[in-house]
């Protein structure tokens, strides 16, 4: 749980966690940590799919993307975090608010087109051409 929280909640890469655990006298192989994260993601995927279905069933979505730093060998790359938010409370909706996040290595328009392929409501977003 600590490894997953540090990775997703604190944005700590696994290699940095491995270094810290080794310094604390509890070495954990990077491959072991990666396997654990893969297992966590696999176990939680049904929940992620339920959240995604709920968000994409909204009458209206708010969409945006932002840059995120990505640790790469010897440098930091820039990736994209895409978010789609459902919150119908201001419009008298009864469904609970929710958000779904996606990641990509670039900002090509194919990403939001894939995310929104099955969506048939109103998308409120900036003027980025990829949303067309």
């Amino acid at each position: 749980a600590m490894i997953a929280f540090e990775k997703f909640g604190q944005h700590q890469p696994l290699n940095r966690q491995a270094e810290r655990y080794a310094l604390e006298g509890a070495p954990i192989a990077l491959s072991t940590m990666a396997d654990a994260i893969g297992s966590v993601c696999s176990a939680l995927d049904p929940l992620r799919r339920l959240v995604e279905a709920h968000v994409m069933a909204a009458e209206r979505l708010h969409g945006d993307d932002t840059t995120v730093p990505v640790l790469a060998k010897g440098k930091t790359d820039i990736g994209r975090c895409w978010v789609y938010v459902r919150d119908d409370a201001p419009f008298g909706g009864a469904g609970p608010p929710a958000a779904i996040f996606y990641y990509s290595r670039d900002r090509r328009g194919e990403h939001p087109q894939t995310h929104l392929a099955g969506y048939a409501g109103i998308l409120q977003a900036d003027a980025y051409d990829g949303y067309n």
Side-chain angles (χ1 to χ4, degrees), residues 36-48:
I37 293 298
S39 294
V40 166
C41 290
S42 179
L44 293 177
D45 192 56
L47 179 59
R48 183 200 63 82

Side-chain angles (χ1 to χ4, degrees), residues 28-40:
I28 303 172
L30 186 57
S31 62
T32 300
M33 296 174 89
D35 286 346
I37 293 298
S39 294
V40 166

Side-chain angles (χ1 to χ4, degrees), residues 6 13 23-25 36 44 51 55 57-58 68 70 73-74 77 81 93 122 126 130:
E6 289 293 323
L23 288 172
E24 293 173 0
L44 293 177
V51 170
V55 170
V68 292
V70 178
K73 198 168 220 163
D77 283 339
C81 183
I122 298 167
D126 61 20

Side-chain angles (χ1 to χ4, degrees), residues 66-79:
T66 190
T67 58
V68 292
V70 178
L71 188 62
K73 198 168 220 163
K75 63 179 182 171
T76 302
D77 283 339
I78 300 296

